[in-house]
């Protein structure tokens, strides 16, 4: 048998980190292991390979131990040994453990049989006395009232967009509403045209109109160009993508590559259009943020920092904020050589930053398990929310309050965490409004509906939930076959897209 190479093992570990949601750890490991130079074809690596490989190894050790045991009564369920035993003990120790445990099981079984013989007859007599000469007992009544349960989304209201051959990390609806973009580890982004009507009777498969945006010229290329982020301009006419190779690309809605923006030397984890659409901002692990002149395709200005950038967001058409792995937030302005504001207070790297709709408040979330609210008028945070117990992946403002089309509704902030919860914050009062506890694994993405009444959440527990913001309850839910990295609403608020493993699912939620 051919040996397992360190190159292949490194790639399997890299994929495990990605699949488990540890994207920053995956990047660091991938950089040190030079995954981008690996000759391993990632499309041949199945989902969850590392866990399956270790599990098979453990089962082999268990089987070897049982087959080597003099006791011919081998248990097929391998219940006598724990995984840690198999990893830390040799075969002779394992054989002795099996023998001792089997002897104990046999002894316990013998004692139990003796006790049962003494109790069986009186118990049978009592049952006869209680039931007279009645025949078989009726089964226990089972409550079938499901009015309190959330409504599971019917398969006829689901469209599966198939075609990606690796994990889909990000998806985004065009402001026009009918186009959906998705970005994957298969080195492609795709633009899907989604019809308005719901499904018929079963899950619909890939619609015929899809544009494949290739980030590799050929499969022979050694580099791995995972699409890590994407963003539509405000008119929905242009799509920007960022990838592992450090290049940003601009495409039209027909999938034609218009510009390749090449200045970064590290992975681009975030890029955003300004509202006017003349600048594109990209943040990279190479410790720089670049403002691009979209028309010329050239760099307008490069900003250098001490650490990598994990998220960026525009305040207005010329000012923006970047969240850094050095635990700080920098507010910069085009034309200024130095940041115009620095925010310090987080104790670990910052995963996401978002300006509120009015541009007066900046929210940030971090590996330090806190959410903080900042104002340009102060040097310290306005609020320091500490109710999460683990790292926080992302935050989203509700499309409500000042500066939105829902000015009479309260402004809220949602945060999603490794602690499996989503939390809703009343920023005006500086308090936790609701803790949404419906997921069982890491929650990696949240998105408000356009009217602010509902919140979609996606988790690595394979579930997509839609919550009523007012009632803090699940009103619709769907369980798929893979973890979810991203969820998003269309502009009409009647469809939600979610990235399930290698596929994108679109849910019609009007029913």
């Amino acid at each position: 048998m051919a040996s397992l190479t360190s190159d292949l093992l490194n790639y399997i570990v890299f994929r495990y980190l990605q699949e488990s949601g540890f994207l920053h750890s995956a990047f660091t490991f991938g950089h040190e292991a030079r995954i981008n130079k690996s000759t391993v074809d990632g499309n041949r690596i199945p989902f969850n390979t590392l866990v399956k490989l270790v599990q098979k190894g453990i089962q082999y050790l268990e089987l070897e131990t049982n087959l080597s045991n003099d006791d011919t009564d081998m248990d097929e369920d391998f219940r006598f040994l724990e995984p840690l035993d198999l990893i830390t003990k040799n075969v002779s120790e394992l054989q002795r453990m099996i023998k001792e445990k089997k002897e104990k099981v046999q002894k316990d079984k013998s004692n139990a049989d003796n006790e049962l013989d003494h109790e069986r007859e009186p118990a049978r007599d009592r049952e006869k006395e209680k039931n007279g000469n009645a025949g078989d007992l009726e089964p226990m009544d089972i409550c079938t009232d499901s009015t309190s349960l959330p409504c599971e989304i019917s398969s006829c209201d689901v469209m599966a967009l198939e075609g990606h051959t690796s994990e889909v990390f990000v998806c985004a609806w065009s402001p026009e509403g009918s186009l959906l973009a998705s970005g994957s580890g298969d080195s492609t982004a795709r633009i899907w045209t989604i019809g308005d009507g719901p499904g018929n009777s079963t899950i619909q498969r890939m619609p015929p109109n899809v544009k494949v945006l290739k980030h590799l010229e050929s499969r022979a290329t050694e580099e791995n160009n995972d699409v890590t982020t994407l963003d539509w301009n405000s008119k929905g006419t242009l799509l920007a993508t960022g990838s592992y190779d450090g290049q940003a690309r601009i495409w039209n809605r027909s999938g034609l590559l218009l510009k390749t923006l090449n200045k970064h030397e590290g992975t681009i984890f975030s890029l955003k259009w300004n509202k006017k659409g003349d600048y594109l901002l990209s943040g990279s692990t190479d410790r720089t943020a670049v403002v691009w002149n979209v028309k010329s395709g050239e760099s307008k200005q490069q900003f250098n920092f001490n650490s990598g950038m994990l998220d960026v967001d525009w305040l207005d058409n010329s000012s923006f904020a970047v969240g850094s792995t050095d635990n700080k937030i920098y507010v910069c302005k085009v034309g200024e050589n130095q940041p115009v504001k620095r925010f310090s207070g987080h104790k670990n790297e910052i995963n996401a930053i978002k300006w509120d709709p009015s541009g007066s408040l900046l929210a940030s979330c971090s590996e330090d398990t806190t959410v903080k609210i900042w104002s340009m008028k102060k040097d310290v945070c306005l609020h320091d929310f500490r109710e999460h117990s683990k790292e926080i992946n992302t935050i989203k403002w509700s499309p409500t309050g000042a500066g939105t089309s829902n000015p009479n509704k309260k402004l809220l902030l949602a945060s999603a965490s490794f602690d499996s919860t989503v939390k809703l914050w009343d920023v005006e009062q500086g308090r936790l409004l609701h803790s949404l506890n419906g997921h069982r694994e890491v929650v990696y993405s949240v998105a408000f509906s356009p009217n602010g009444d509902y919140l979609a959440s996606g988790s690595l527990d394979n579930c997509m939930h839609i919550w009523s913001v007012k009632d803090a309850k699940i009103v619709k839910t769907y369980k798929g076959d893979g973890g979810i990295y991203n969820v998003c609403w269309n502009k009409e608020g009647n469809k939600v897209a979610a990235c399930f493993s290698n596929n994108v699912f679109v849910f019609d939620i009007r029913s």
Side-chain angles (χ1 to χ4, degrees), residues 296-326:
S296 67
E298 299 295 329
S299 167
K300 172 69 175 179
Q301 188 172 353
Q302 178 172 308
F303 297 81
N304 299 307
F305 302 94
N306 295 323
S307 299
M309 306 290 105
L310 297 180
D311 199 15
V312 298
D313 198 32
W314 288 97
L315 169 60
D316 51 38
N317 284 318
S318 60
S319 299
F320 60 90
V322 297
S324 173
T325 56
D326 68 0

Side-chain angles (χ1 to χ4, degrees), residues 129-156:
E129 182 179 348
K130 177 180 178 181
N131 295 285
N133 294 324
D136 294 338
L137 295 176
E138 292 294 326
M140 183 183 296
D141 290 338
I142 299 174
C143 177
T144 59
D145 180 13
S146 61
T147 55
S148 61
L149 298 177
C151 176
E152 184 169 358
I153 297 175
S154 170
S155 60
C156 66

Side-chain angles (χ1 to χ4, degrees), residues 347-360:
K347 303 301 182 184
N348 208 328
E349 63 185 43
I350 297 166
N351 289 329
I353 55 171
K354 295 288 183 295
W355 292 100
D356 82 317
S358 69
S360 59

Side-chain angles (χ1 to χ4, degrees), residues 172-180 193-197 253 399 405-406 409 448-454 488-497 506-511:
W173 289 95
S174 162
E176 293 300 308
S178 62
L179 298 181
L180 176 69
T193 300
I194 309 299
D196 185 55
R253 55 187 291 137
S405 56
N406 308 293
K409 296 180 180 179
F448 281 97
S449 62
N451 61 9
D453 291 341
Y454 300 98
C488 58
W489 294 77
N490 67 344
K491 71 168 186 176
E492 292 83 8
N494 57 23
K495 286 183 172 63
V496 175
V506 176
F507 304 93
D508 191 302
I509 60 168
R510 289 174 288 190
S511 59

Side-chain angles (χ1 to χ4, degrees), residues 59 262 369 398 442:
Q59 289 175 346
N262 192 357
T369 76
S398 62
V442 175

